[in-house]
Amino acid sequence: NKGTPVSLNGWMIGLTHVTPLQQSGETDVVAGTILTLNNEHGLCIACAGKTAVRANIIYTEEGFLPGFALSNFGLKPGMVFN
């Protein structure tokens, strides 16, 4: 299973394993916004209803990777998945 497909700047990835989270702090961000992207907190993405998910494992053409590895591909907090 290559996960739920999402895209950013025309690049498709699959969210294969996520953990649901409650958003803290700013809660009026657009769903799909990258909230964090680092080793400590991982890849956290805003969702509707003041919730978020941590993408623990993602799929790219390069293979299955930990979510925080997307920082190696130039993704940054504030970018928005479609």
Side-chain angles (χ1 to χ4, degrees):
N1 182 349
K2 295 180 181 175
T4 301
V6 295
S7 68
L8 181 68
N9 297 334
W11 188 40
M12 294 295 294
I13 69 165
L15 303 178
T16 62
H17 182 267
V18 300
T19 302
L21 305 169
Q22 288 295 317
Q23 278 192 53
S24 60
E26 188 178 345
T27 57
D28 61 344
V29 293
V30 175
T33 301
I34 298 174
L35 302 172
T36 64
L37 183 55
N38 56 47
N39 281 342
E40 183 177 352
H41 300 288
L43 169 60
C44 294
I45 305 165
C47 299
K50 299 181 183 179
T51 61
V53 293
R54 178 183 302 115
N56 302 308
I57 301 172
I58 54 107
Y59 177 79
T60 68
E61 291 179 3
E62 289 75 17
F64 291 93
L65 304 167
F68 68 83
L70 288 181
S71 63
N72 297 326
F73 295 93
L75 276 67
K76 299 180 184 328
M79 295 177 131
V80 180
F81 286 105
N82 297 325

